[in-house]
Amino acid sequence: MTRICSLRLPHDELRNKMQEIYFAGGCLWGVQEYMRHLPGVAFTEAGRANGTTKTTEGEYDGYAECVLTRFNPEIVSLKQLFDYFFEVIDPYSVNQQGEDIGEKYRTGIYSTEPEHLKQAEDYIRSRSDADRIAVEVLPLSNYVKSDDEHQDRLTRCPDDYCHIPGDLLHKYKR
């Protein structure tokens, strides 16, 4: 499901302003549901970051469950997105968020833009707890869209399990 941005700009002009970043914060269902309601976020998609294959079939290939997040930097800055992201993760946990355990549930920030990665590293370094943070910041080397059953899962099935508490999950829902 695609969210429509409420800005009144010609489609091409709006598309040119958009940027993409990928957030891994445990189970992608909750991260996608949370991110899709943030101000300035125009589109989210559940996927897999930095695995070794181009398919969702087969053995685990080292990916992290992630959410492609397309946003308008004139409405929401990367720092604000990082603040939002850190609201819903345990940044100290390694390969676990809530009851979800395993390497695919690690936390991470990925991008094809070096400036995004620099800002993420600076953001983490600026925190007083930086030495305890286990969020990886890496270039996006591979992205695979998750199967349709995982797209907008908590919108379609709101009673499914989510590691993010309900009041926080929809804190920014309009």
Side-chain angles (χ1 to χ4, degrees):
M1 177 184 296
T2 302
R3 281 191 57 228
I4 304 299
C5 189
S6 62
L7 294 177
R8 302 225 185 273
L9 295 172
H11 186 67
D12 288 341
E13 187 178 339
L14 178 60
R15 188 178 348 182
N16 291 337
K17 292 181 183 298
M18 293 294 153
Q19 295 183 19
E20 291 182 352
I21 193 161
Y22 301 75
F23 291 100
C27 177
L28 52 75
W29 295 351
V31 177
Q32 183 181 30
E33 179 66 17
Y34 174 76
M35 299 300 279
R36 68 191 304 268
H37 297 292
L38 298 178
V41 172
F43 175 83
T44 61
E45 179 179 86
R48 298 174 172 192
N50 291 359
T52 58
T53 64
K54 296 285 186 190
T55 180
T56 59
E57 297 177 16
E59 302 277 323
Y60 174 71
D61 68 352
Y63 68 84
E65 289 196 2
C66 75
V67 175
L68 179 162
T69 304
R70 191 169 297 139
F71 67 100
N72 184 331
E74 293 180 359
I75 298 173
V76 62
S77 70
L78 275 175
K79 183 195 177 303
Q80 289 169 309
L81 284 176
F82 300 149
D83 285 340
Y84 290 133
F85 178 60
F86 271 70
E87 278 189 80
V88 294
I89 64 167
D90 174 353
Y92 315 124
S93 182
V94 176
N95 298 335
Q96 179 176 358
Q97 293 292 303
E99 295 177 21
D100 299 313
I101 300 171
E103 187 180 356
K104 71 180 180 176
Y105 299 116
R106 67 187 181 273
T107 54
I109 300 171
Y110 312 99
S111 181
T112 59
E113 299 294 326
E115 181 58 28
H116 290 175
L117 301 174
K118 180 186 179 316
Q119 287 186 46
E121 290 168 349
D122 290 347
Y123 176 86
I124 291 170
R125 238 187 327 272
S126 74
R127 291 176 53 110
S128 62
D129 59 351
D131 61 328
R132 297 175 45 217
I133 292 177
V135 176
E136 65 182 14
V137 176
L138 294 171
L140 182 75
S141 60
N142 184 28
Y143 174 76
V144 177
K145 177 183 173 184
S146 288
D147 297 333
D148 287 344
E149 68 190 74
H150 298 290
Q151 301 300 326
D152 302 304
R153 178 67 181 211
L154 292 179
T155 298
R156 293 181 295 104
C157 306
D159 294 328
D160 274 357
Y161 165 77
C162 181
H163 68 283
I164 302 171
D167 56 336
L168 184 54
L169 184 66
H170 292 120
K171 181 177 178 180
Y172 300 100
K173 189 174 181 177
R174 299 180 238 21

